[in-house]
């Protein structure tokens, strides 16, 4: 039995938290909360697989001051393990470490076997190539006492003669290497020339002896939750490797504003987060290069997209101004810099390009998605939504385009849901509820069968059934609405308890039992409220943009982002996440921001296109719009209090509107009254 005075422990990156008595082992706390921490030795401190790290600092959002003083000192078991095997500095064995005070505990990704499934894959589209990098092989005249031109000068002469390159700027780090490289190559060398703008001087950024025909680039999307990277051959245009990992900054805060708060409250906060994200990008670079058998030194160009706060932290810019009105960006235009300036583990002379940001909370990732999907290139009215911790919305066509952001928070990613978790093996990802019996069936990541199919139990025993990920959260709330478990205003109807044992009394409210196993998985009233708040914020932002354009409907909807790829359009509309539209016109486009980065990497003309387009996109700040609050209130209802959904109604049988008055759906045997709209 826990007490309100017991220490509060928050596990990252899952976001699960709970209070535990002093003296509880960190491993026991993790298991109680359903946080996956591997332990092969059964807590004997011999396998070393249960390593964790304690994060120090003030975490304002959670009201936690975490410190290594809040965990028991290293004991004899850990000392014995450290004598036999190495344990990284700052790590502890969770089976031996005991909770003494409030803690933020990081479960390092390299210790997790069933790691998060990073769902950001490369596109199968092809694009015209016009990269900023050109490899130029030349054979240089040997030195001649009668022609006292320097070695570099003779190299430049041949680059102009053979390649038409004039007035070349040579990177400083190459100057000491030119003579040695020329002689090593027997006077034949390959120069890597970078030229982004046609009007700019060509830059020599790398030089190899002999013929060198390897040139690669990376396109990277720095999301607040995950980082995705594509490794690309600049010579063929092929994506040769793609991978992703969790953004390590999540330990400083799940949502963007909590990370800004961390910077404000911790003197070294900005440096710590900048270092963390750059290290993660370097790890990811090593990973994709190993997968493709590529030398990181052959990466000569890199394009990045990110939301404004990630963008600033990646570049080493304090994001504090983005945490308060007027949400001023330090820089909004495209960024050109060098890999060595931001400590990237690629070629020393490699160039970096960051797409422009659209507004204070509509970043380079939204610009990348816009470049990828091209609302500005068509006549149809397109709604482009990237559902993340902070939803970014672009709406328009070739005539006019507007953009805004909406603070949806991390609920869709499971962080504010009682049994929520990120998309990993064992997470429920699909849900259906029988409207007559209220019995559910569901699908789990890592298991092919649905829960009512033969072989499911055996397969699920291997992964476990550990929680609900984002796509299932949307589906289960929508299915609860369609089956009458929750009302139009989002109240779990306690009157349904007589119909099914799955409606559980939970104090003054009710919950829905989705799975009763080793871990009981329920959807509580608070969970439904968290989803309502998130979806209402998104819908209100969309509706505000529609009003700005003077339109009542949209022609086509595109879900961008890893999460958007796994949203079922029907359930998104039933929930009221997006406006009414033909279901066939609602499509997931995957990591559109990453695709935009890929386009800008492969063709510098796309860089000019998005730079020009961003100047024409009208930015709407939802926080300053007086009508936003009313739109938000209307959007709390399922699917919406005032907006009709005729196209959805033609495809799905929506329940009769049922509104439970305040207090109804609660326990205590109160008389129930229903009104019909």
């Amino acid at each position: 039995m826990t007490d309100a005075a017991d220490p509060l422990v928050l596990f990252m990156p899952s976001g699960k938290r709970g209070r535990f008595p002093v003296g509880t082992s960190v491993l026991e706390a993790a298991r109680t909360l359903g946080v996956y921490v591997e332990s092969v030795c059964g807590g004997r401190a011999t396998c070393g697989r249960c390593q964790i790290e304690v994060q120090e600092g003030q975490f304002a959002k959670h009201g936690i001051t975490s410190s290594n003083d809040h965990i028991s000192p290293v004991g004899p078991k850990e000392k014995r393990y450290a004598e036999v095997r190495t344990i990284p500095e700052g790590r502890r064995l969770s089976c031996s470490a005991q909770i003494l005070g409030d803690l933020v505990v990081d479960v390092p990704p390299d210790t997790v076997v069933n790691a998060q499934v990073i769902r950001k894959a490369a596109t199968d589209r092809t694009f015209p190539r016009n990269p900023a990098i050109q490899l130029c092989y030349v054979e240089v005249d040997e030195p001649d006492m009668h022609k006292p031109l320097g070695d570099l000068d003779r190299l430049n002469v041949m680059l102009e003669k053979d390649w038409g390159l004039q007035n070349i700027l040579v990177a400083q780090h190459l100057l000491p290497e030119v003579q040695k490289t020329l002689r090593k190559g027997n006077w034949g060398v390959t120069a890597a020339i970078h030229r982004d703008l046609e009007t700019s001087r060509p830059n020599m950024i790398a030089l190899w002896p002999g013929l060198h025909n390897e040139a690669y680039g990376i396109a990277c999307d720095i999301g607040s939750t995950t980082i995705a990277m594509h490794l690309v051959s600049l010579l063929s245009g092929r994506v040769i490797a793609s991978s992703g990992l969790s953004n390590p900054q999540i330990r400083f805060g799940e949502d963007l504003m909590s990370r800004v708060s961390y910077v404000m409250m911790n003197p070294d906060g900005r440096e710590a987060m900048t270092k963390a994200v750059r290290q993660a990008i370097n790890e990811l670079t090593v990973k994709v290069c190993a997968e493709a058998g590529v030398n990181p030194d052959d990466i000569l160009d890199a394009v990045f997209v990110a939301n404004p706060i990630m963008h600033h932290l990646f570049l080493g810019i304090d994001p504090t101004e983005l945490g308060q009105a007027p949400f001023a960006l330090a820089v909004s235009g495209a960024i050109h810099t060098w890999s060595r300036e931001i400590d990237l583990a690629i070629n020393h002379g490699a160039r970096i390009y960051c797409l422009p940001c659209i507004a204070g909370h509509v970043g380079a990732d939204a610009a990348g998605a816009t470049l990828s999907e091209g609302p500005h290139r068509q006549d149809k009215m397109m709604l482009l939504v990237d559902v993340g911790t902070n939803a970014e919305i672009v709406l328009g066509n070739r005539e006019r385009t507007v953009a805004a952001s909406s603070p949806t928070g991390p609920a869709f990613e499971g962080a504010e849901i009682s049994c929520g978790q990120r998309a990993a093996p064992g997470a429920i990802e699909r849900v259906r509820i029988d409207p007559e019996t209220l019995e559910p069936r569901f699908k789990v990541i890592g298991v092919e069968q649905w829960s009512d199919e033969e072989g499911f139990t055996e397969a699920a025993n291997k992964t476990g059934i550990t929680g609900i990920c984002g796509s299932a959260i949307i589906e289960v709330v929508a299915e609860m609405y369609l089956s009458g478990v929750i009302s139009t205003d989002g109240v779990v109807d306690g009157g349904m308890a007589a119909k099914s044992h799955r409606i559980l009394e939970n104090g003054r409210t009710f919950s829905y039992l989705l799975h009763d196993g080793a871990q009981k998985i329920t959807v509580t009233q608070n969970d439904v409220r968290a989803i309502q708040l998130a979806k209402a914020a998104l819908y209100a932002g969309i509706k505000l943009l529609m009003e700005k354009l003077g339109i009542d409907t949209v022609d086509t909807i595109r879900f961008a982002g890893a999460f958007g790829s796994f949203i079922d359009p029907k359930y998104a509309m039933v929930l009221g996440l997006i406006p009414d539209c033909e279901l066939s016109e609602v499509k997931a486009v995957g990591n559109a921001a990453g695709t935009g980065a890929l386009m800008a990497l492969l063709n510098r003309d796309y860089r000019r296109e998005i730079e020009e387009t961003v100047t024409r996109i009208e930015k709407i700040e939802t926080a300053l719009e007086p009508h936003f609050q009313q739109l938000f209130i209307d959007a709390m209802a399922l699917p919406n209090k005032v907006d009709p959904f005729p196209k959805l109604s033609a495809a799905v049988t929506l329940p009769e509107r049922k509104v439970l008055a305040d207090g109804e759906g609660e326990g205590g045997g109160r008389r129930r009254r229903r009104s019909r709209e």
Side-chain angles (χ1 to χ4, degrees):
M1 192 77 179
T2 59
D3 186 272
D6 287 337
L8 178 61
V9 182
L10 170 68
F11 285 91
M12 301 304 273
S14 70
K16 293 190 173 182
R17 71 215 74 189
R19 293 190 179 275
F20 298 91
V22 169
T24 305
S25 76
V26 176
L27 180 60
E28 182 183 341
R31 285 176 169 169
T32 301
L33 293 174
V35 175
Y36 186 84
V37 178
E38 187 175 1
S39 177
V40 177
C41 66
R44 296 181 181 85
T46 56
C47 72
R49 304 294 286 273
C50 66
Q51 296 175 23
I52 51 94
E53 294 177 4
V54 172
Q55 299 303 317
E56 292 202 289
Q58 295 181 45
F59 297 80
K61 177 184 174 183
H62 307 288
I64 295 177
T65 299
S66 177
S67 167
N68 275 304
D69 294 333
H70 295 175
I71 198 167
S72 60
V74 175
K77 285 185 178 180
E78 285 182 276
K79 286 179 180 176
R80 189 170 62 249
Y81 177 84
E83 289 170 2
V84 178
R85 302 181 191 178
T86 58
I87 183 168
E89 186 176 348
R91 297 251 179 113
R92 296 292 303 275
L93 298 182
S94 63
C95 62
S96 296
Q98 296 178 339
I99 298 163
L100 302 181
D102 291 351
L103 289 171
V104 175
V105 177
D106 192 27
V107 182
D110 60 359
T111 67
V112 179
V113 175
N114 289 340
Q116 178 182 354
V117 179
I118 305 297
R119 295 173 160 185
K120 292 191 176 184
T123 179
D124 55 4
R125 292 160 59 185
T126 57
F127 307 103
R129 285 193 312 111
N130 183 19
I133 296 293
Q134 182 181 13
L135 294 186
C136 303
Y137 174 76
V138 290
E139 294 180 350
V140 181
D141 293 338
E142 295 187 31
D144 186 338
M145 291 183 65
H146 301 289
K147 298 177 183 178
L149 268 183
D151 285 356
L152 176 59
D153 303 272
R154 293 196 314 284
L155 169 59
N156 284 334
V157 166
M158 295 310 297
L159 285 169
E160 180 176 358
K161 179 182 176 184
D162 292 354
W163 296 92
L165 296 168
Q166 297 179 323
N167 202 19
I168 297 171
L169 286 170
V170 180
Q172 166 63 35
H173 72 280
L174 294 179
L175 295 178
E177 303 296 322
V178 169
Q179 290 191 312
K180 181 169 60 178
T181 305
L182 281 167
R183 284 156 181 79
K184 187 175 181 181
N186 195 26
W187 305 101
V189 292
T190 303
I193 304 296
H194 177 275
R195 188 182 220 166
D196 191 341
L197 298 165
E198 289 293 345
T199 55
S200 62
R201 290 174 66 182
N203 280 254
M204 187 190 301
I205 63 171
L207 188 68
W208 296 273
L211 178 64
H212 187 90
N213 59 358
E214 302 286 341
Y216 299 94
I218 52 175
C220 187
D221 172 18
I222 308 173
S224 54
T225 305
T226 60
I227 303 172
M229 181 182 288
H230 305 311
L231 177 64
V232 185
S233 166
L234 297 177
L235 303 181
S236 70
R238 287 191 310 113
V239 176
I240 57 174
S242 296
S243 191
L245 49 71
S246 296
N247 188 332
Q249 290 180 349
I250 203 164
R251 64 175 175 258
F252 301 102
E254 291 159 349
D255 58 63
L256 297 170
M257 286 302 103
S258 60
R259 294 183 203 179
V260 174
S261 297
Y262 188 87
V263 171
M264 295 170 71
M265 298 182 70
N266 294 274
D268 300 325
R270 199 280 302 158
E271 290 87 347
M273 279 195 265
T274 295
K275 183 180 179 182
V277 73
R278 289 179 181 175
Q279 283 181 342
I281 288 166
N282 285 336
E283 288 172 19
L284 203 46
T285 303
V286 169
K287 187 176 179 181
V288 293
C289 285
E291 181 183 326
V294 167
N295 185 340
D297 193 55
D298 286 333
I299 296 176
L300 304 174
D301 201 9
V303 175
F304 290 87
V305 294
N307 62 57
I309 290 169
M310 293 298 96
H311 170 279
H312 278 35
L313 288 170
F314 169 60
L315 293 171
I317 301 169
D318 189 325
T320 302
E321 291 297 328
L322 291 168
Q324 57 201 359
F327 312 110
L329 288 155
V331 56
S332 57
I335 298 291
H336 302 258
T337 188
W338 302 84
S339 66
R340 60 181 177 271
E341 296 294 332
I342 53 176
D343 304 319
L344 295 192
I346 55 179
N347 189 286
H348 193 63
R351 295 303 302 264
I352 307 297
Y353 176 82
C354 295
L355 271 67
C357 291
I358 296 175
H361 285 299
V362 188
D365 52 352
T370 300
L371 178 61
S372 171
E373 300 310 307
H376 57 288
R377 302 187 201 109
Q378 58 185 294
D379 296 321
K380 279 186 174 183
M381 187 58 66
M382 175 186 281
L383 170 64
L384 175 60
V385 183
D386 191 336
V387 185
T389 318
N390 195 60
E392 294 171 318
I393 314 161
V394 179
L395 176 66
N397 56 17
R398 68 174 76 251
E399 298 297 324
R400 186 183 176 197
T401 308
V402 293
S405 69
S406 244
T408 52
F412 289 136
E413 295 171 339
E416 293 178 347
I417 306 302
S418 60
C419 293
Q421 68 165 88
R422 303 199 185 283
I428 295 173
E429 63 173 343
R430 291 277 178 261
V431 179
R432 302 291 182 267
I433 297 175
D434 187 301
E436 297 302 322
T437 65
L438 303 188
E439 284 299 302
R441 62 189 192 96
F442 52 82
K443 202 167 185 301
V444 172
I445 296 176
V447 179
E448 289 186 16
Q449 302 93 334
W450 282 74
S451 60
D452 60 345
E453 293 178 347
E454 188 177 341
F456 171 82
T457 302
E458 294 77 8
N461 283 339
K462 297 176 183 177
T463 63
I465 302 174
T466 54
I468 314 172
C469 73
S471 58
I473 289 166
I474 286 179
E475 291 191 9
V476 72
V477 175
E479 281 279 331
M480 287 167 70
Y481 170 62
L482 291 174
S483 59
V485 173
I486 58 176
S487 61
T488 303
D489 52 349
V491 176
V492 180
D493 187 355
M496 302 288 278
K499 182 177 179 179
S500 172
H501 71 282
R502 293 196 174 269
I503 310 301
L504 306 176
E505 191 166 351
N506 185 20
R508 290 177 54 81
T509 60
F510 288 85
S511 303
Y512 176 76
L513 177 63
L514 181 57
H515 173 66
D516 194 3
Q519 284 181 237
K520 184 177 284 190
I521 297 174
T522 60
V523 182
T524 69
Q525 182 65 69
N526 285 341
D527 294 340
V528 176
R529 284 284 179 256
I531 292 300
Q532 283 181 279
L533 289 167
K535 76 98 177 179
L538 176 55
Y539 190 93
I542 294 169
K543 191 69 177 175
L544 192 64
L545 295 189
M546 291 172 69
E547 290 185 351
K548 291 290 180 184
L549 293 181
I551 60 173
D552 296 319
T553 60
V554 297
D555 298 318
T556 185
I557 298 175
R558 296 291 180 266
F559 270 122
F563 179 52
S565 299
F566 291 84
I567 295 176
D568 186 310
K570 179 180 79 172
Y571 290 107
M573 211 173 287
V574 168
L575 192 67
L577 192 68
I578 50 176
D580 193 48
C581 183
E582 292 289 350
L583 287 174
S584 61
E585 285 290 343
V586 184
K587 293 183 172 66
V589 291
N591 183 17
T595 301
L598 180 61
M599 292 168 67
L601 176 66
L602 287 172
N603 193 325
R604 52 192 169 149
D605 295 336
Y606 286 129
R607 304 182 186 188
R608 309 292 87 79
E609 177 185 338
I610 194 58
E611 289 165 6
E612 192 274 332
T613 299
V614 163
T615 63
R616 293 188 288 110
I617 295 176
E618 300 169 44
K619 298 83 177 175
I620 309 299
E621 182 51 63
T622 56
L624 303 179
E625 295 291 334
H627 191 40
F628 180 81
Q629 189 62 30
Q630 186 57 53
L631 293 171
F632 178 85
I633 292 168
D634 292 341
M636 283 290 288
L638 301 169
N640 193 279
K641 186 176 180 181
V642 295
D643 288 351
F645 281 74
K647 292 171 183 173
L648 174 64
S649 298
V652 179
T653 303
L654 295 176
E656 188 178 353
R657 284 181 178 259
K658 175 174 69 175
V659 177
L660 296 176
D662 289 344
E664 296 190 42
E666 298 180 355
R670 296 184 56 174
R671 179 174 169 270
R672 310 200 178 279
R673 172 177 56 83
R674 294 181 185 174
S675 63
R676 300 282 183 180
E677 290 185 351

